[in-house]
Amino acid sequence: MMSPESLQASLIGSKHASLPDLAHDHHSSHTNQTGAAIKIAIHELNFWYGSNHALKNINLNIFDRGITALIGPSGCGKTTLLRTLNRVYEIYPDQRASGQVTIDGRNILDPAIDLTALRTHIGMTFQKPNPFPMTIFENIAFGIRLHHHLSRAELHGRVEKALHGAALWQEVKDILNHPARALSGGQQQRLCIARAIALDPDILLFDEPCSALDPISSAQVEDLLSHLGRQYCVVIITHNMQQAARVSDHVAFMYLGELVEFGTSEQIFVNPRDPRTNAYVTGRFG
């Protein structure tokens, strides 16, 4: 199993990557009925772990400049779906996907897609904070250096901008040369978010970003997510229904590898159409 640090490094990518077919723009030409731009269009997506059919005919539109929460009991396919969006499953053997995941008009499941370039457009943060064994500054600067040849002043500016974007600058501006792993858990998670946004992605993926945090740190990350949702296409996995209701604009409920229901957060939590959704969000199973 690849370590979290190695996995994160693989997602940061290579300085030689380019992906001209994916427009680096936070807006899409496709919209839903309310005018919200569709950033990710998923059509007939299936996924297998060996012979285990983990995702079954998923059809889902994910909107730009908003937060979509994936909810459902453990093992329902949430994390698998999230990891198809940047094809991180390619790191592991005997895993495959079929169907279409279209971002800005290009099917990213196309074998011709440059995966390194794809992942510069899609930042990902995991359940447990996983800062690199470097200083706070170097955690952010590492990925930037791979992709850009900047002067020292420009690099410092990019690092500061990322830390501001993750609401962490004021807390670390005087200790940038300290080890990142000396930070608190909540600070480490926001550092990982800063590392993700430092490359100016279009899409941010969060796999239970608050599950390992205390309530105060969780509230800080939730506030940050609400801010990021106004700038990026954000997809978050959470088992916390109150959190999903607080931070998300849309919710997708999954069960046994299938997408059961998708709608606005208000509709899913107040007036779900499917009885399985209603049973889950009211705590009758899960």
Side-chain angles (χ1 to χ4, degrees):
M1 177 82 58
M2 181 174 287
S3 70
E5 291 85 356
S6 298
L7 177 56
Q8 187 70 54
S10 74
L11 299 183
I12 288 176
S14 160
K15 66 182 178 182
H16 301 296
S18 62
L19 195 61
D21 297 293
L22 289 184
H24 193 66
D25 188 342
H26 293 305
H27 296 285
S28 168
S29 60
H30 303 287
T31 60
N32 73 348
Q33 295 172 338
T34 64
I38 296 172
K39 187 67 176 178
I40 306 170
I42 300 171
H43 178 68
E44 293 298 311
L45 175 65
N46 287 270
F47 191 92
W48 291 265
Y49 294 98
S51 61
N52 178 26
H53 194 181
L55 293 179
K56 303 167 186 175
N57 302 315
I58 304 296
N59 292 281
L60 175 65
N61 288 330
I62 298 175
F63 302 108
D64 198 11
R65 297 201 178 191
I67 299 176
T68 297
L70 305 181
I71 65 171
S74 296
C76 70
K78 303 182 300 296
T79 295
T80 300
L81 176 56
L82 195 74
R83 292 186 174 204
T84 63
L85 301 183
N86 61 359
R87 285 177 59 181
V88 69
Y89 64 86
E90 299 266 356
I91 296 169
Y92 306 102
D94 204 25
Q95 299 183 14
R96 60 190 176 91
S98 70
Q100 294 185 337
V101 178
T102 304
I103 300 176
D104 292 328
R106 183 75 188 271
N107 178 20
I108 66 163
L109 299 185
D110 183 342
I113 284 285
D114 183 329
L115 294 184
T116 302
L118 171 69
R119 291 166 186 159
T120 67
H121 292 265
I122 303 174
M124 190 168 186
T125 301
F126 300 89
Q127 295 179 30
K128 184 178 179 181
N130 57 344
F132 296 148
M134 305 173 178
T135 66
I136 296 167
F137 180 89
E138 288 298 326
N139 261 267
I140 310 300
F142 177 76
I144 299 172
R145 284 198 191 97
L146 286 177
H147 295 274
H148 303 282
H149 297 287
L150 302 178
S151 69
R152 183 176 178 84
E154 289 171 327
L155 179 63
H156 277 258
R158 286 285 295 269
V159 170
E160 180 177 344
K161 179 182 177 182
L163 290 169
H164 273 295
L168 190 57
W169 173 252
Q170 292 300 324
E171 297 168 48
V172 302
K173 63 181 180 180
D174 297 322
I175 56 169
L176 293 176
N177 291 324
H178 288 203
R181 292 179 175 177
L183 296 172
S184 70
Q187 289 174 325
Q188 288 185 27
Q189 191 66 299
R190 282 182 285 146
L191 179 68
C192 293
I193 294 171
R195 193 170 64 195
I197 66 178
L199 297 180
D200 194 23
D202 298 319
I203 298 165
L204 293 173
L205 310 177
F206 295 91
D207 189 353
E208 295 189 68
C210 299
S211 64
L213 304 181
D214 62 82
I216 293 175
S217 296
S218 293
Q220 292 173 330
V221 171
E222 283 187 19
D223 287 344
L224 176 57
L225 287 172
S226 297
H227 175 71
L228 294 173
R230 296 193 291 269
Q231 304 174 67
Y232 302 94
C233 172
V234 175
V235 186
I236 178 174
I237 292 173
T238 180
H239 283 280
N240 185 323
M241 295 302 95
Q242 290 78 20
Q243 181 180 80
R246 284 192 297 266
V247 305
S248 67
D249 302 292
H250 294 86
V251 175
F253 170 59
M254 300 183 67
Y255 185 58
L256 298 177
E258 297 180 354
L259 177 62
V260 173
E261 186 168 352
F262 175 75
T264 64
S265 300
E266 181 178 8
Q267 181 261 308
I268 292 293
F269 288 111
V270 176
N271 188 31
R273 294 183 294 270
D274 193 287
R276 292 169 293 179
T277 310
N278 185 61
Y280 184 75
V281 301
T282 56
R284 292 203 293 274
F285 82 98

